[in-house]
Amino acid sequence: MSWWPFAPTGGGSNTVTCVVKNTDETTSSTSIQDDDELSIAVGANELWLFFFYIHYVTSSTNDMAINMSIPASAAGIIGFYNVGTDSSGNSIPNYTTAGGVDLAADTDTGGAVQCFVAGVDTAGSSGNVKFRFRTVISNSVTVKAGSGMYGVKIG
């Protein structure tokens, strides 16, 4: 993967993992749920950097919330590339917001793309880092095939 900008240098042993969705996934639930495919296993006492590229379509504007799940004693934070505020005009908080971060999206068939990064310190827990999403106002939201996540173990 010579195109990947985080390739180890100087004999390093960083682990790079890539997961790409094979099928569309739709929900009409306002309860946050794990994506069926976007998940990367992590070990205890590791540091990871994640990049998410999410293409989604909603049936109304401001109708998607995102989040991530991490192992029990881990700590993490999400930062966004192209979203400065949530659908209520508030600054984007870290991932620990109870229901996730609300995102605006086009309602046409093209939908929208959101890119964000996350850092995770697994502390003493192993497990999975998973992309999570829900609808905000009980319509439907679809995370499209081709969406993906990359994980780089940096420590």
Side-chain angles (χ1 to χ4, degrees), residues 71-89:
S73 65
I77 190 165
I78 289 178
F80 289 81
Y81 283 120
N82 56 344
V83 177
T85 58
D86 66 16
S87 59
S88 300

Side-chain angles (χ1 to χ4, degrees), residues 4-62:
W4 186 248
F6 298 106
T9 59
S13 59
N14 294 4
T15 298
V16 177
T17 304
C18 174
V19 179
V20 178
K21 280 187 77 62
N22 292 308
T23 59
D24 292 356
E25 184 174 347
T26 301
T27 187
S28 296
S29 174
T30 57
S31 297
I32 200 91
Q33 68 179 42
D34 292 342
D35 183 277
D36 290 341
E37 298 177 78
L38 298 180
S39 176
I40 294 177
V42 295
N45 303 308
E46 294 178 346
L47 296 173
W48 283 80
L49 174 65
F50 294 94
F51 173 80
F52 297 83
Y53 173 88
I54 306 300
H55 177 202
Y56 65 100
V57 176
T58 67
S59 56
S60 70
T61 55
N62 300 327

Side-chain angles (χ1 to χ4, degrees), residues 93-149:
N94 68 32
Y95 91 96
T96 57
T97 300
V101 177
D102 296 355
L103 300 176
D106 299 327
T107 56
D108 62 22
T109 56
V113 173
Q114 299 293 339
C115 298
F116 55 97
V117 295
V120 175
D121 179 350
T122 63
S125 294
S126 60
N128 291 292
V129 173
K130 300 176 183 180
F131 174 71
R132 306 179 84 202
F133 69 103
R134 67 179 176 89
T135 184
V136 176
I137 52 177
S138 299
N139 290 310
S140 66
V141 60
T142 301
V143 176
K144 303 294 284 179
S147 296
M149 68 184 284

